[in-house]
Amino acid sequence: MAQRRSYQIGSGLFILLGFAALAYLATQTTSIANFSQGPSYLLKARFTNVGQLKLRAPVKIAGVRIGSVESIEVDPQRLDAKVTLSVDRRFRDIPDDSSAAIFTSGLLGDQYIGIQPGGSPDMFKDGDEFVLTQSSMQLEDLIGKFLVNGSPASKPAANDEPAAQAQPASPPKKS
Amino acid sequence: MPGPEPIAEPTRDVLVQVRGLRTVLGRKTIFDGIELDIPRGKVTAVMGPSGCGKTTLLRHLTGQRAADAGSIRIDGAEVTRLSRQALFDLRERIGYLFQNSALLTDYDVFENVAFPLRQHLKLPEEIVRNIVLTKLEAVGLRGAAGLMPAELSGGMMRRVALARAIIRDPMLILYDEPFVGLDPIALNQVLRLIRTLNDTLGVTSVLVAHEFSAVARVADLVYLLAGGKIVAHGPPQQLREDPSPWTRQFFGGEADGPVPFQYPARDYATDLGFAQVAR
Amino acid sequence: MSTPRPWAGIGDALARVGAHGLFLLQILAALPASLRHYRETVRQIWFTGAMSLVIIMTCGLFVGMVLGLQLYYVLSIFGGTAALGTVVSLSLYRELGPVVTALLFAGRAGTSITAEIGLMRATDQLAAMEMMAVDPLAYVAAPRFIAGVVAMPLLACVFNALGIFGAHLVGVSWLGLDNGTFWSNMTSSVDVWKDVVNGVWKSVVFGAVVALIAVFQGYTTAPTSEGVAYATTRTVVFSSIVVLAVDFVMTAFLM
Ligand SMILES: Nc1ncnc2c1ncn2[C@@H]1O[C@H](COP(=O)(O)OP(=O)(O)OP(=O)(O)O)[C@@H](O)[C@H]1O
Ligand SMILES: [Mg+2]
């Protein structure tokens, strides 16, 4: 009888260990770990091309994660991608002339949204929209540009140039 | 050779009735039209040369092995046509002692004997303990309750298996060679036990054994099985005096007679390769 | 043995698959009855699951460390070592965890199930149970089957966790990858449902496959020492083949 009890306890411990491992894998190594626990607020950004950006992709400032991509949808009128970012409340003080860009981590890594802080004294409020954005760099576009010397893919300079130029010399007013 | 006529009325007095049983295993015909009746409340012995199919017969009786033809009725139920569930219900009332004991190696002696109780009845631990120890005492192994089967001798295993077979006071007990490996003292005890179960509880017993002297002390009726048929039957005293060559050979122990000592084989000399030398 | 007949082989294989299928149905039919023997099931979870922990954990650690080394090397060619955590975790969750655990489980627990049941068959213990009106399918087969189905995904999770730990050990502590990069890349590309849970489903199926084969081989073994030996070998061979085949099918159609 005592023998049977010890089997039961042992099996119970084993099952517990297994579920603990599962819980660890599921919560600590997956995108669930990225769900910001604290309160957050929403920002919007428009991109002509989001590339491989996925839902819940990280939003980073200076390489540090501050939030995640909440939704990606197409604006039926303007036919561009409207991306909603959910940003942790702790990072409330982002100047409203900051720019958002889609980067790739490493050569093969996932895409994320990087925010370049601006210099405006006014801060973003819940629901505000980025004025300056920079789309994901498409390999095809780059090659095309290189070959044809930039006729098709370069409409508004503010939207398609590499990061160095996205840094605005004079912050334009928000519309 | 005609089959024996029924010994008793096939209704109230006969618990097990076998008719026209035929079995072929491999290429060998084991049974060729067996007819037998096992009277209720008596001890019936089945004897016969080694390999004649006694174990197979017990397996047929309990539905462990399907026969090729024939009918087997136990307490009115046709075993050959019972559903699995009905067969299990019937087996709950049958005790079976396996020729090789077949103890569950995972459990100690106590749990082995208690196994049928625990599986089918929800009894308080105290009562289980009492019943198991009583049966173990009856086979003289109460002190071995804590041992594992691997720690037992062959004779001890048989007695544990015997205790397990009788644990639920069944209506029918089938003993496959219960005397193997028993010393004279244990043999006496087991003989007395079989007889007591019969006299006090009215259990019907079927006994497969080779020791005629032991069988003669407990059995009310003996069937002699040879060559796939029942060759003789009757009370042990009567068989001892029976003049038929079958019984003469079997109980006299002579090698030659109607029952061949040899398993069917080719000519001895040919097998040994002497055929050419002789020529 | 006279002339090679390819069709006979295919017929045999089909018959074998059919026999396993029928046996699975029998076990499933015996499941309700086996609930009464839940203690036996718990005991089998201990024997098949908990007793396999050591080998699973050791192998998980080493597989993770090797993955860490190899993938670090491969990724460094493309300058993508930042993705080490991602690549290791995805290959573990989706593929290596379930499959390697299943193969180890077949070797560690499957063989012992087959040998145990085979010996019970050879020594008439199964027949004895039948004679005591206890269904061996419910008392012996079903508990081991359930134990396999329950234990395998848990073991696979433990294997994965140790694998991640091993890769972290090599990548971060040894090769000097940044700890934050390792985790943040992993957490941003691993999905709970598509990767972790799908892997768990895989190992549930593998558990059923290995346990079914092991129990079937033991249950239908020839009652001799040679028969038990062959049955044990067949358990490993068949389990490995079927696990890898099922893995391909599941990966192709479900993931
Ligand atoms: N699975 C089988 N396939 C073929 N033949 C078998 C099989 N099992 C038993 N036999 C044969 O059936 C015959 C009867 O076997 P059984 O075990 O019933 O003998 P027995 O009368 O109990 O002998 P013993 O007194 O030695 O126990 C034997 O000749 C044996 O060779
Ligand atoms: Mg026999």
Side-chain angles (χ1 to χ4, degrees):
Chain A
M1 286 290 119
Q3 215 181 2
R4 274 191 187 155
R5 256 198 96 59
S6 66
Y7 285 140
Q8 292 182 356
I9 293 170
S11 304
L13 286 178
F14 164 67
I15 291 176
L16 257 169
L17 174 70
F19 274 105
L22 176 59
Y24 172 76
L25 297 182
T27 59
Q28 297 305 304
T29 70
T30 69
S31 36
I32 283 189
N34 295 342
F35 282 128
S36 45
Q37 307 294 319
S40 60
Y41 66 104
L42 300 179
L43 294 177
K44 296 198 182 74
R46 290 172 182 278
F47 298 95
T48 51
N49 192 337
V50 293
Q52 268 77 56
L53 189 71
K54 292 196 207 93
L55 285 184
R56 295 202 298 276
V59 175
K60 298 183 181 179
I61 285 185
V64 179
R65 162 188 199 89
I66 60 161
S68 61
V69 172
E70 183 83 9
S71 74
I72 303 174
E73 46 202 34
V74 172
D75 184 326
Q77 264 93 52
R78 293 168 57 173
L79 295 178
D80 58 3
K82 209 169 88 186
V83 176
T84 312
L85 317 177
S86 151
V87 179
D88 198 306
R89 260 283 140 82
R90 284 177 296 160
F91 309 105
R92 236 179 351 243
D93 301 331
I94 302 174
D96 64 0
D97 62 345
S98 305
S99 68
I102 298 178
F103 294 109
T104 307
S105 43
L107 189 61
L108 302 166
D110 281 314
Q111 296 197 299
Y112 66 93
I113 292 187
I115 295 177
Q116 292 278 1
S120 162
D122 300 325
M123 302 302 160
F124 272 133
K125 293 185 297 295
D126 189 22
D128 278 356
E129 190 173 320
F130 284 90
V131 180
L132 286 175
T133 61
Q134 182 208 332
S135 283
S136 137
M137 242 194 294
Q138 296 292 85
L139 211 52
E140 301 94 311
D141 288 353
L142 279 183
I143 295 169
K145 231 187 260 182
F146 183 73
L147 290 179
V148 192
N149 206 8
S151 43
S154 53
K155 279 182 290 165
N159 269 10
D160 255 4
E161 288 303 301
Q165 289 179 20
Q167 203 118 1
S170 57
K173 275 262 92 74
K174 216 172 39 157
S175 51
Chain B
M1 168 166 284
E5 21 337 317
I7 294 129
E9 284 287 48
T11 44
R12 236 178 306 115
D13 296 341
V14 174
L15 184 64
V16 182
Q17 188 186 57
V18 179
R19 289 291 174 271
L21 185 69
R22 267 185 57 82
T23 305
V24 180
L25 282 181
R27 265 173 287 111
K28 191 178 175 198
T29 304
I30 309 286
F31 299 129
D32 189 11
I34 296 268
E35 317 254 320
L36 60 84
D37 291 293
I38 289 165
R40 202 184 280 269
K42 297 271 170 54
V43 178
T44 306
V46 175
M47 303 186 71
S50 183
C52 73
K54 304 177 295 295
T55 301
T56 311
L57 178 65
L58 294 190
R59 290 192 179 232
H60 283 321
L61 291 186
T62 49
Q64 292 176 63
R65 168 170 270 162
D68 291 321
S71 114
I72 296 163
R73 300 180 78 84
I74 295 186
D75 206 19
E78 177 63 49
V79 174
T80 48
R81 270 187 245 115
L82 286 183
S83 70
R84 199 170 160 79
Q85 189 52 52
L87 200 54
F88 274 11
D89 290 344
L90 176 66
R91 284 177 185 168
E92 280 202 45
R93 300 190 290 152
I94 298 180
Y96 192 105
L97 175 68
F98 277 81
Q99 185 164 6
N100 56 0
S101 302
L103 297 180
L104 306 182
T105 40
D106 269 1
Y107 301 123
D108 63 10
V109 166
F110 184 95
E111 288 301 320
N112 259 290
V113 178
F115 190 81
L117 288 180
R118 292 207 197 282
Q119 293 305 316
H120 296 292
L121 308 171
K122 285 257 167 297
L123 295 176
E125 187 57 32
E126 200 182 332
I127 296 184
V128 171
R129 215 182 126 73
N130 283 346
I131 300 178
V132 171
L133 290 185
T134 315
K135 304 292 181 189
L136 279 177
E137 174 76 28
V139 296
L141 287 177
R142 189 164 49 83
L147 297 183
M148 295 303 282
E151 301 168 314
L152 301 180
S153 75
M156 289 162 87
M157 280 196 225
R158 300 216 53 70
R159 281 141 71 197
V160 174
L162 182 60
R164 184 178 69 177
I166 61 175
I167 187 79
R168 293 192 61 196
D169 295 331
M171 64 163 184
L172 171 65
I173 309 181
L174 309 171
Y175 304 92
D176 198 346
E177 313 211 351
F179 309 133
V180 170
L182 297 189
D183 61 74
I185 309 164
L187 178 66
N188 267 327
Q189 278 311 112
V190 169
L191 282 174
R192 198 171 303 148
L193 179 67
I194 294 175
R195 200 64 244 179
T196 317
L197 284 170
N198 236 74
D199 297 341
T200 56
L201 298 173
V203 176
T204 308
S205 304
V206 178
L207 196 64
V208 167
H210 291 298
E211 301 83 346
F212 188 74
S213 57
V215 167
R217 285 169 56 192
V218 287
D220 300 305
L221 182 65
V222 176
Y223 281 95
L224 184 56
L225 192 62
K229 289 195 161 55
I230 300 287
V231 292
H233 67 86
Q237 293 75 21
Q238 187 189 317
L239 278 195
R240 208 197 311 261
E241 268 106 58
D242 194 65
S244 103
W246 295 95
T247 44
R248 282 260 62 80
Q249 187 204 353
F250 195 68
F251 300 123
E254 294 146 29
D256 281 326
V259 184
F261 166 65
Q262 290 291 342
Y263 193 89
R266 288 189 295 168
D267 180 55
Y268 194 24
T270 320
D271 252 6
L272 292 179
F274 292 157
Q276 284 96 332
V277 181
R279 223 174 335 106
Chain C
M1 280 284 136
S2 49
T3 50
R5 289 175 303 159
W7 299 116
I10 294 175
D12 281 357
L14 270 182
R16 210 167 263 163
V17 172
H20 279 88
L22 285 180
F23 191 68
L24 177 62
L25 291 184
Q26 281 180 301
I27 288 184
L28 293 181
L31 280 188
S34 77
L35 291 183
R36 285 182 47 226
H37 310 301
Y38 73 94
R39 280 221 187 82
E40 195 52 26
T41 308
V42 170
R43 216 166 67 102
Q44 290 308 323
I45 290 180
W46 168 258
F47 278 126
T48 56
M51 300 293 266
S52 307
L53 266 181
V54 174
I55 183 175
I56 292 291
M57 290 171 84
T58 322
C59 293
L61 187 66
F62 280 122
V63 167
M65 287 166 69
V66 167
L67 278 182
L69 277 179
Q70 292 281 25
L71 292 175
Y72 186 90
Y73 170 72
V74 173
L75 289 171
S76 67
I77 297 177
F78 303 105
T81 51
L84 183 68
T86 309
V87 182
V88 167
S89 60
L90 284 183
S91 40
L92 276 176
Y93 297 170
R94 298 175 66 95
E95 199 56 51
L96 289 175
V99 170
V100 176
T101 308
L103 297 182
L104 291 173
F105 187 80
R108 166 64 183 75
T111 49
S112 73
I113 291 177
T114 304
E116 190 187 10
I117 301 184
L119 272 179
M120 290 174 92
R121 166 70 71 202
T123 54
D124 271 344
Q125 294 183 52
L126 296 181
M129 283 185 191
E130 291 231 8
M131 274 315 301
M132 293 186 275
V134 173
D135 189 353
L137 280 171
Y139 193 82
V140 176
R144 285 165 174 79
F145 179 75
I146 300 174
V149 175
V150 171
M152 182 79 84
L154 300 179
L155 289 173
C157 288
V158 173
F159 183 93
N160 285 343
L162 265 292
I164 298 289
F165 176 72
H168 183 266
L169 208 65
V170 168
V172 176
S173 314
W174 188 12
L175 297 174
L177 209 63
D178 176 55
N179 187 37
T181 318
F182 182 88
W183 290 114
S184 77
N185 269 318
M186 187 193 304
T187 54
S188 59
S189 21
V190 178
D191 185 77
V192 195
W193 299 105
K194 262 171 47 207
D195 302 320
V196 178
V197 173
N198 264 351
V200 169
W201 280 127
K202 261 190 178 181
S203 56
V204 169
V205 174
F206 294 167
V209 164
V210 174
L212 176 69
I213 291 177
V215 173
F216 178 84
Q217 290 299 338
Y219 209 79
T220 57
T221 182
T224 59
S225 8
E226 199 187 23
V228 175
Y230 276 135
T232 313
T233 309
R234 273 199 299 266
T235 293
V236 176
V237 174
F238 289 172
S239 306
S240 311
I241 295 174
V242 176
V243 160
L244 292 173
V246 168
D247 180 46
F248 172 74
V249 173
M250 285 186 78
T251 310
F253 294 107
L254 301 181
M255 299 184 74

